[in-house]
Amino acid sequence: MREAEGWLAVIGTGPAGPGWMTPETTDIVAEATDLVGYVTYLDRLPDGGQRRHPSDNREELERARQALELAAEGRRVVMVSGGDPGVFAMAAAVYEALDTDGERWRDVPVRVAPSVSAMQAVAARAGAPLGNDFCVVSLSDNLKPWELILKRLRLAAEGDFALALYNPTSRARPWQLGEALATLREHRAGDTPVILGMAVGRENERVTITTLDEVDPSAADMRTLVIVGASTTRVVERGGERRVYTPRTYPAGEE
């Protein structure tokens, strides 16, 4: 990217902040004149003299348009997401804005830089539960119907994928994780490992390893990522610690 022209880069802070960012994303932030994003994610970045443009969490498309406008004016703009910007985050909103009104910003260079996602962070803390095929589903029904979410959960469970569940609950929908887990119990044994990874990378981090029969949905909040194992997922006890992994191979003859 040439310094003489405006540009937009979409980056993620990882699950917690600077310690979870890649050298690439750190360098991009250092080049920026403006930072745009949800205020909680902006607060994860140290003050480097950039102008900050905070907004509410549900203003994704408006935020993307604002960032593109600033870049069109010649600013070097960084759109800040949590986790990885391409996983339930701002990269899709930026391209949605370009798709619906692309001519307006046709000369703005746009790039997306990968980062550590919440599912990677929680999986690493727990061991290797995503070591074989897995699916990723957001339980938020803000942008898609709940029945579609349940259908996707059923199909993923029937396919025997491990599952990473984003946005498991909120004050407005405290019942959804319980219903989602009930749907998975129709296809998974009760001793299937379940991981609740809350605020991984932050001071109040908590990782709980339990089972599909014993998991308490009320123990999760919006800071939590839930991983539900496949039929092959195992728990390993070593040195007083429990770790979860899904073997790389699948038993012959099983479908």
Side-chain angles (χ1 to χ4, degrees):
M1 295 180 181
R2 300 191 302 273
E3 289 192 359
E5 67 181 2
W7 46 257
L8 173 60
V10 192
I11 66 107
T13 64
W20 292 79
M21 292 171 63
T22 68
E24 179 189 26
T25 55
T26 300
D27 289 346
I28 290 171
V29 171
E31 294 178 31
T33 59
D34 294 72
L35 305 178
V36 178
Y38 175 41
V39 61
T40 298
Y41 301 145
L42 289 181
D43 287 346
R44 293 179 181 176
L45 299 179
D47 186 0
Q50 302 94 341
R51 184 180 178 187
R52 297 187 176 218
H53 306 266
S55 58
D56 184 77
N57 195 30
R58 292 197 178 189
E59 299 174 359
E60 289 92 348
L61 199 53
E62 293 81 359
R63 189 184 307 147
R65 290 170 176 150
Q66 178 189 26
L68 287 162
E69 285 291 343
L70 289 168
E73 294 169 5
R75 311 290 290 178
R76 301 188 299 276
V77 184
V78 168
M79 172 70 74
V80 182
S81 293
D84 180 276
V87 180
F88 303 122
M90 285 305 302
V94 168
Y95 282 105
E96 182 179 349
L98 290 171
D99 189 29
T100 56
D101 202 2
E103 280 300 303
R104 186 173 177 181
W105 302 294
R106 63 182 178 181
D107 296 325
V108 174
V110 176
R111 67 183 289 194
V112 179
S115 301
V116 178
S117 67
M119 64 182 169
Q120 290 173 300
V122 173
R125 285 289 199 260
L130 305 181
N132 205 318
D133 298 339
F134 64 93
C135 287
V136 185
V137 178
S138 170
L139 297 190
S140 172
D141 60 354
N142 288 333
L143 300 175
K144 60 182 183 288
W146 180 243
E147 284 306 314
L148 176 62
I149 295 171
L150 290 180
K151 177 181 179 180
R152 289 176 173 176
L153 290 174
R154 284 193 294 269
L155 292 173
E158 288 174 9
D160 202 13
F161 291 96
L163 279 154
L165 305 178
Y166 277 72
N167 305 312
T169 187
S170 72
R171 285 190 296 270
R173 45 183 182 81
W175 51 271
Q176 286 181 320
L177 178 58
E179 187 169 332
L181 293 171
T183 297
L184 295 177
R185 289 188 189 100
E186 297 172 7
H187 306 276
R188 295 282 161 85
D191 61 355
T192 300
V194 174
I195 301 154
L196 304 179
M198 179 184 291
V200 168
R202 284 165 269 175
E203 291 183 358
N204 55 342
E205 171 183 318
R206 185 169 76 245
V207 177
T208 302
I209 296 173
T210 181
T211 66
L212 196 53
D213 269 351
E214 296 180 356
V215 61
D216 177 8
S218 69
D221 61 16
M222 281 297 289
R223 300 170 300 164
T224 306
L225 182 125
V226 180
I227 296 178
V228 180
S231 67
T232 57
T233 302
R234 298 171 58 83
V235 176
V236 177
E237 307 270 358
R238 57 188 307 274
E241 295 182 333
R242 305 175 77 223
R243 292 292 181 264
V244 181
Y245 83 103
T246 301
R248 295 171 299 133
T249 57
Y250 203 80
E254 295 197 20
E255 296 180 356

